[in-house]
Amino acid sequence: VPACALSDFELEARKRLEPAIYDFGAGGADGEVTLRENEVAFSRVGLVPRVLRGGGAPELGVELFGSSAAMPVLIAPTAFHRLFHAEGERATARAAALAGVIMVASLASTVAIEDVVEAARSAAPGAAPEIWFQLNVQPDPDFTERLVRRAEAAGCRALVVTVDAPVFGFRRRDRRNGFDDLPDGLHCENLREPGRSGEPGRVRPLAFLRELSWEHIDRLRKLTRLPLVLKGVVRPDDARVAAGRGVDAIIVSNHGGRQLDTVPATIELLPAIASAVEGRIPLLLDGGIRRGTDVLKAIALGARAVAIGRPVLWGLAVAGQDGVLQVLGLLRDEIERALVLCGCRSLAELEPSLLRLVRAERR
Ligand SMILES: Cc1cc2nc3c(=O)[nH]c(=O)nc-3n(C[C@H](O)[C@H](O)[C@H](O)COP(=O)(O)O)c2cc1C
């Protein structure tokens, strides 16, 4: 049976994965209110298409401070890809390179960042690999700096700092499943110290930083010339501060419902942030993007592009590199079809008048 929707990959992945690993990917924090809302909120926004404005195939490419992408969808940073497929982040990176999309590689990758970039490079020789590096600021400032230098040296094109995780969200599914560590043989390879005489070095624990503050962002801004992206901003006031502090972009994100529960759906938070930022820096959005129409709605409300987390993991679990490529290809087809059906000849024609709120009682 062909996969006809991104949700088909989740169904198939669920059949193949150990339940505790499926739950690790699918689950959210606490009562999973935010997790559910992210997806459901898109169905409360209706699309009202224009007609009789036919044109050629719409251009889907986007530019983000020097990085170019074939469509306005990035791969969100997600931890531990080798739990989902033996080739892990290498397979994801190759699929991203082949599809021409930007992959944000997680600090908590089970493949070292140098090898992730190399996998992208080898899959699409000639094209510059578009890998961004996601960082959780670590308590040891020297270690944080070494991570930034590694990302720069590896050829990463931007630094994405996750700001919604000063502590780790509480995931009831993981606690109930006793899922609290990586299985034997898998490690966070970015946290490995250089070893002596060819021996693998020790792996540091992934730490969270309660003290995380704007001063850390200022320090990172001084430390690197890479574009700096904050992931996890959900308020207009914070977005305005970020824009004034030399941050290059924001990802409006509630971490896919995995950190603070009951944060509203990101698609509902986006319009106020877009008004506050007034186009000074590009906005990206993630959380609950499962179909092409979701992407259109986010762009119509002010996002330059979106990112997907779980659908990539499900594609990876189903068929490795090819599964991720299928997910990206399906989403691309859906975006293109929905854009034409909306009477838009380009992403730039997406705007709020195409949207209507669907009243809850009439859903
Ligand atoms: C299994 C899993 C692991 C994740 N790991 C990270 C991570 O290491 N760093 C990070 O900033 N966000 C992480 N996220 C959050 C994603 O970057 C993203 O915000 C979220 O998945 C988007 O929602 P979606 O899954 O509904 O598309 C993770 C999400 C999932 C599902």
Side-chain angles (χ1 to χ4, degrees):
V1 185
C4 297
L6 263 53
S7 55
D8 291 346
F9 288 90
E10 176 167 4
L11 294 175
E12 191 56 35
R14 187 173 195 166
K15 289 186 207 154
R16 294 167 187 235
L17 290 169
E18 267 176 51
I21 293 180
Y22 169 77
D23 273 347
F24 164 71
D30 304 329
E32 302 189 334
V33 172
T34 298
L35 173 72
R36 285 189 293 275
E37 265 298 293
N38 274 348
E39 282 191 38
V40 166
F42 281 106
S43 64
R44 290 196 294 260
V45 182
L47 283 168
V48 189
R50 297 197 168 93
V51 294
L52 300 172
R53 293 160 47 90
E59 169 59 50
L60 299 187
V62 288
E63 277 278 326
L64 284 161
F65 27 82
S67 286
S68 42
M71 65 170 169
V73 179
L74 290 81
I75 296 182
T78 51
F80 310 155
H81 288 197
R82 290 190 65 203
L83 283 176
F84 298 89
H85 187 272
E87 292 168 11
E89 288 82 0
R90 280 190 183 83
T92 316
R94 291 196 303 261
L98 290 169
V101 308
I102 297 163
M103 170 181 176
V104 187
S106 170
L107 172 63
S109 292
T110 42
V111 170
I113 187 61
E114 294 81 2
D115 299 330
V116 175
V117 176
E118 187 45 43
R121 192 172 279 134
S122 66
E130 295 288 7
I131 306 288
W132 295 2
F133 185 70
Q134 177 266 321
L135 177 74
N136 299 83
V137 176
Q138 295 297 290
D140 173 353
D142 295 334
F143 183 54
T144 299
E145 175 165 0
R146 286 207 294 283
L147 288 167
V148 174
R149 299 293 172 236
R150 267 181 79 182
E152 291 171 341
C156 294
R157 308 288 304 272
L159 186 65
V160 176
V161 183
T162 297
V163 295
D164 60 8
V167 295
F168 198 54
F170 185 81
R171 323 266 163 81
R172 293 179 191 164
R173 297 197 209 196
D174 293 347
R175 170 60 72 88
R176 290 179 181 132
N177 291 330
F179 186 82
D180 53 10
D181 207 356
L182 281 169
D184 285 349
L186 299 192
H187 302 280
C188 286
E189 294 297 340
N190 294 325
L191 300 174
R192 195 182 284 284
E193 300 279 13
R196 287 205 198 116
S197 56
E199 294 287 301
R202 88 177 174 107
V203 179
R204 290 187 178 231
L206 178 61
F208 294 82
L209 185 61
R210 274 175 201 257
E211 290 78 12
L212 188 63
S213 74
W214 287 107
E215 279 73 57
H216 293 95
I217 303 305
D218 294 342
R219 219 171 293 153
L220 286 168
R221 181 64 297 173
K222 289 203 196 96
L223 202 64
T224 183
R225 299 177 64 175
L226 287 176
L228 187 60
V229 181
L230 299 193
K231 173 173 181 285
V233 173
V234 288
R235 296 175 55 101
D237 48 5
D238 280 347
R240 222 180 280 120
V241 174
R245 261 173 133 112
V247 166
D248 295 282
I250 283 169
I251 307 180
V252 176
S253 171
N254 52 35
H255 215 110
R258 295 165 76 85
Q259 287 295 112
L260 178 66
D261 197 20
T262 75
V263 177
T266 48
I267 192 66
E268 293 184 347
L269 295 167
L270 177 64
I273 297 174
S275 327
V277 166
E278 294 179 308
R280 278 188 289 163
I281 52 174
L283 300 176
L284 310 179
L285 172 141
D286 75 19
I289 299 275
R290 299 294 179 266
R291 44 183 83 76
T293 50
D294 298 342
V295 180
L296 266 54
K297 291 169 191 178
I299 295 176
L301 289 173
R304 178 82 62 86
V306 302
I308 54 172
R310 295 178 181 85
V312 170
L313 298 175
W314 307 141
L316 191 61
V318 171
Q321 170 189 318
D322 200 47
V324 177
L325 262 178
Q326 286 174 39
V327 164
L328 295 171
L330 191 56
L331 193 54
R332 191 194 160 89
D333 290 348
E334 288 182 356
I335 293 169
E336 182 170 334
R337 190 178 315 113
L339 206 54
V340 175
L341 287 171
C342 280
C344 293
R345 282 159 293 201
S346 71
L347 298 171
E349 292 184 8
L350 289 168
E351 38 87 27
S353 85
L354 287 161
L355 309 179
R356 287 289 183 283
L357 269 187
V358 179
R359 293 229 308 280
E361 62 269 30
R362 286 203 271 133
R363 253 186 298 149

